[in-house]
Amino acid sequence: SAVISQKPSRDICQRGTSLTIQCQVDSQVTMMFWYRQQPGQSLTLIATANQGSEATYESGFVIDKFPISRPNLTFSTLTVSNMSPEDSSIYLCSAGADTGELFFGEGSRLTVL
Amino acid sequence: DAKTTQPNSMESNEEEPVHLPCNHSTISGTDYIHWYRQLPSQGPEYVIHGLTSNVNNRMASLAIAEDRKSSTLILHRATLRDAAVYYCILRPTNFGNEKLTFGTGTRLTIIP
């Protein structure tokens, strides 16, 4: 199993600023993903965080808005850039092996004013 | 990506078995069937997964149809703590595409 820690757990930010969310896994994992969950909705995949290379983004998400780093097998960051109120959401990190179960963090609740 | 179809909501009485259905008629041979659940104010939690054979673990059982076009998650004895949104997801295993794409899930309500 893997335990995933996300920081910050919640934040309130001003429009036009950027916030970086950190995801730390307690063991080495091959796969890491970032999701967004808006109030009352299901999870939407933002991107796959690739170790040592550029992230793979899903349709509707771009690197300039959501830059992602993954310097090693246990850590990744997601930055939400130039935030607007529409970016208010819960951002979740997920990690696991190529097959089998994926583990999720508790999420980072972001409110943009 | 192959998609799944689940009922939007279900209710069950406490201490009774619950059968949560999922249809996935376009499943490919390399797709694993995964189930996750999300309790209120928490991240999703892995429940069970399988490929072709039925699977059991401490949380639940997964019954997979012979043609793999549908599956059923079985909670043997529901408790109030099992109230959550349950997601049935097909996870590809081809290299570079092993992501989980969530649908809308089934909101399970447990009646005391």
Side-chain angles (χ1 to χ4, degrees):
Chain A
S1 66
V3 176
I4 299 176
S5 303
Q6 280 187 238
K7 287 195 292 188
S9 58
R10 59 179 62 232
D11 207 341
I12 300 173
C13 301
Q14 296 299 316
R15 182 194 302 256
T17 63
S18 299
L19 177 74
T20 296
I21 302 168
Q22 298 180 0
C23 177
Q24 178 72 55
V25 189
D26 69 345
S27 59
Q28 292 188 346
V29 290
T30 51
M31 311 295 295
M32 291 186 78
F33 305 94
W34 285 97
Y35 289 86
R36 181 173 73 183
Q37 186 171 30
Q38 295 180 310
Q41 304 293 313
S42 181
L43 284 78
T44 300
L45 180 63
I46 297 172
T48 302
N50 299 309
Q51 193 262 327
S53 64
E54 192 172 287
T56 304
Y57 290 86
E58 298 298 306
S59 176
F61 298 95
V62 295
I63 188 171
D64 289 346
K65 176 66 175 177
F66 298 100
I68 289 171
S69 77
R70 189 178 173 193
N72 55 51
L73 292 176
T74 64
F75 185 78
S76 178
T77 66
L78 168 74
T79 299
V80 186
S81 303
N82 188 25
M83 287 183 286
S84 67
E86 292 71 34
D87 295 321
S88 297
S89 189
I90 299 173
Y91 293 85
L92 296 115
C93 173
S94 171
D98 297 356
T99 61
E101 61 191 286
L102 288 183
F103 301 91
F104 286 80
E106 293 291 317
S108 299
R109 183 181 295 271
L110 173 62
T111 301
V112 184
L113 303 178
Chain B
D1 293 340
K3 301 219 182 288
T4 62
T5 304
Q6 300 177 252
N8 288 333
S9 62
M10 290 182 62
E11 288 185 349
S12 180
N13 294 319
E14 192 178 11
E15 299 187 5
E16 291 187 357
V18 182
H19 290 235
L20 295 163
C22 181
N23 288 317
H24 29 79
S25 59
T26 60
I27 190 171
S28 77
T30 57
D31 289 342
Y32 275 78
I33 302 161
H34 280 240
W35 283 83
Y36 289 76
R37 71 180 185 182
Q38 188 171 25
L39 281 65
S41 302
Q42 295 189 24
E45 173 188 32
Y46 168 82
V47 178
I48 201 166
H49 77 284
L51 184 63
T52 57
S53 303
N54 295 343
V55 185
N56 299 295
N57 66 21
R58 63 175 179 81
M59 290 181 68
S61 296
L62 175 61
I64 301 173
E66 199 168 328
D67 63 3
R68 300 211 324 130
K69 294 182 185 297
S70 65
S71 61
T72 302
L73 179 71
I74 303 166
L75 306 179
H76 295 287
R77 190 169 166 271
T79 69
L80 296 177
R81 195 191 171 279
D82 291 321
V85 179
Y86 286 79
Y87 296 98
C88 169
I89 307 168
L90 301 182
R91 187 179 186 200
T93 55
N94 47 309
F95 180 75
N97 197 33
E98 307 93 330
K99 57 191 177 184
L100 284 181
T101 302
F102 284 75
T104 54
T106 296
R107 182 174 298 278
L108 177 64
T109 301
I110 304 299
I111 302 168

